[in-house]
């Protein structure tokens, strides 16, 4: 099977590549090889490799940069996803599109389901919601995978940042009013491939089991890593940012279990394995 993974240098793309069997023909172009914002570039690339399955991970995920450069966010995240979906349509390829919990406003007191009403409160969330719209409008054979708080062994991420800061400082102030599920790219990659093999198309939430606040996440990171540092819980107002973050965006994984028959393991188990594999225990 020919599989194309856009955004080939990203942490999720690398995890998906590592989870694939050796007998697959896998293409993992980076931004220089596959500029998703240009349809002619995308179409030419598809014509050369003729993928049967496309896992679209390429995106501008810097939330504050998206807020400061909305045109770029819409170009990469929305139009880029439209270009990939158009190419999938033209070459009869299935598409897995990676989306986000940030398409919701975070005001709910309950978990967000696949049929919950989107209402993004920042440009990043809006650009990703537009991307979902294009995928749904253009394709029948698609999977939209909504996830949250990604971290992995490749590249920079929140866990690495917190461990680095904890080793340098005596006190860390961490926001305690943002809630979601940390999601390990290794687990998400395996889940994506299981979903793609199911042929049960549609929208799915996919995160590690359970949820926590940013503060609780960092507390567990520090506990597992056995770093001596003091933590202080603060509100989001303590760290003003260009983009407002939604407060509570925990995604329900019930549909994934009901239709596909599995859930990802708990975020605590996943975090422990990540720290073991990265040498932080």
């Amino acid at each position: 099977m020919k599989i194309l993974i856009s955004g080939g240098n990203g942490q999720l793309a690398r995890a998906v590549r590592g989870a694939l069997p050796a007998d697959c023909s896998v293409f993992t172009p980076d931004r220089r090889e596959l500029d998703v914002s240009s349809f002619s570039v995308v179409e030419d690339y598809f014509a050369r490799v003729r993928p049967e399955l496309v896992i679209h991970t390429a995106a501008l995920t810097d939330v504050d940069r998206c807020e400061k450069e909305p045109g770029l966010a819409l170009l990469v995240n929305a139009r880029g996803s439209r270009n990939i979906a158009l190419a999938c349509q033209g070459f009869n390829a299935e598409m897995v599109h990676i989306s986000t919990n940030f398409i919701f406003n975070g005001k709910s007191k309950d978990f967000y389901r696949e049929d919950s009403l989107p209402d993004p409160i920042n440009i990043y969330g809006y650009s990703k919601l537009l991307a979902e719209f294009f995928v749904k409008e253009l394709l029948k054979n698609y999977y939209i995978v909504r996830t949250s708080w990604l971290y992995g062994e490749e590249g920079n991420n929140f866990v690495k940042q917190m461990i680095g800061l904890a080793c340098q400082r005596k006190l860390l102030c961490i926001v305690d009013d943002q809630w979601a599920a940390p999601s390990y790219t290794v687990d998400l990659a395996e889940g994506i491939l299981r979903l793609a093999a199911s042929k049960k198309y549609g929208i799915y939430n996919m995160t590690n089991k359970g949820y926590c606040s940013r503060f609780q996440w960092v507390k567990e990171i520090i506990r597992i890593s056995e770093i001596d540092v003091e933590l202080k819980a603060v509100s989001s107002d303590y760290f003003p940012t260009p983009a407002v973050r939604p407060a509570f965006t925990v995604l329900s994984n019930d549909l994934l279990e009901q239709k596909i028959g599995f859930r990802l393991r708990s975020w605590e188990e996943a975090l422990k394995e990540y720290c073991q594999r990265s040498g932080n225990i």
Side-chain angles (χ1 to χ4, degrees):
M1 187 176 193
K2 290 184 177 181
I3 300 175
L4 167 61
I5 308 172
S6 67
N9 280 339
Q11 57 181 352
L12 179 56
R14 294 187 184 189
V16 173
R17 177 67 185 90
L20 285 167
D23 59 352
C24 289
S25 295
V26 185
F27 304 88
T28 56
D30 61 19
R31 184 174 56 186
R32 293 170 299 177
E33 299 171 277
L34 180 60
D35 178 1
V36 299
S37 67
S38 169
F39 179 69
S40 62
V41 170
V42 171
E43 188 176 40
D44 287 348
Y45 194 91
F46 271 62
R48 291 199 305 273
V49 304
R50 297 193 172 272
E52 299 163 81
L53 172 66
V54 178
I55 302 174
H56 181 46
T57 74
L60 182 62
T61 58
D62 184 329
V63 178
D64 289 326
R65 186 180 178 189
C66 286
E67 203 69 20
K68 291 184 285 187
E69 301 181 63
L72 181 62
L74 292 170
L75 179 65
V76 176
N77 294 342
R79 184 181 293 180
S81 299
R82 179 179 182 271
N83 290 339
I84 293 290
L86 275 171
C88 286
Q89 181 189 71
F91 288 87
N92 197 31
E94 296 180 356
M95 181 176 178
V96 178
H97 173 70
I98 308 303
S99 193
T100 173
N101 57 321
F102 272 39
I103 65 167
F104 298 111
N105 63 24
K107 297 177 182 179
S108 175
K109 295 182 180 179
D110 199 358
F111 296 171
Y112 286 97
R113 302 186 308 273
E114 288 78 0
D115 60 356
S116 296
L117 183 66
D119 181 25
I121 59 174
N122 56 45
I123 294 296
Y124 171 68
Y126 177 70
S127 69
K128 295 294 285 184
L129 180 59
L130 272 179
E132 286 195 13
F133 170 79
F134 289 132
V135 172
K136 290 186 291 184
E137 286 296 302
L138 292 167
L139 298 174
K140 293 182 179 179
N141 298 342
Y142 70 83
Y143 309 89
I144 292 174
V145 176
R146 294 172 179 163
T147 190
S148 61
W149 289 2
L150 275 186
Y151 68 96
E153 292 162 22
E154 304 288 347
N156 196 20
N157 60 64
F158 183 77
V159 179
K160 287 183 181 178
Q161 291 172 358
M162 292 302 103
I163 291 173
L165 289 174
C167 291
Q168 299 169 14
R169 302 179 183 179
K170 295 181 179 179
L171 172 67
L172 290 181
C173 295
I174 309 296
V175 298
D176 198 26
D177 54 4
Q178 296 174 24
W179 298 75
S183 300
Y184 185 24
T185 56
V186 169
D187 293 349
L188 188 64
E190 294 176 356
I192 287 169
L193 295 180
R194 289 186 66 174
L195 179 61
S198 73
K199 304 299 181 182
K200 296 180 180 179
Y201 305 113
I203 302 174
Y204 295 90
N205 295 334
M206 191 181 297
T207 66
N208 280 110
K209 184 180 178 181
Y211 65 96
C212 60
S213 69
R214 289 273 185 187
F215 179 82
Q216 291 172 335
W217 189 12
V218 175
K219 187 176 180 181
E220 186 67 5
I221 292 168
I222 299 307
R223 186 192 69 80
I224 293 172
S225 303
E226 298 182 343
I227 302 173
D228 185 16
V229 64
E230 182 182 352
L231 299 180
K232 179 182 177 181
V234 298
S235 72
S236 296
D237 294 337
Y238 190 86
F239 294 109
T241 56
V244 178
R245 269 68 170 174
F248 186 89
T249 52
V250 181
L251 304 176
S252 167
N253 285 258
D254 289 348
L255 184 65
L256 185 69
E257 184 171 24
Q258 292 165 7
K259 292 188 67 174
I260 313 300
F262 74 94
R263 283 180 184 263
L264 305 189
R265 61 183 162 171
S266 73
W267 70 267
E268 296 96 336
E269 291 177 272
L271 179 62
K272 184 176 180 180
E273 180 177 309
Y274 166 82
C275 289
Q276 289 172 333
R277 292 173 65 162
S278 59
N280 289 305
I281 295 183

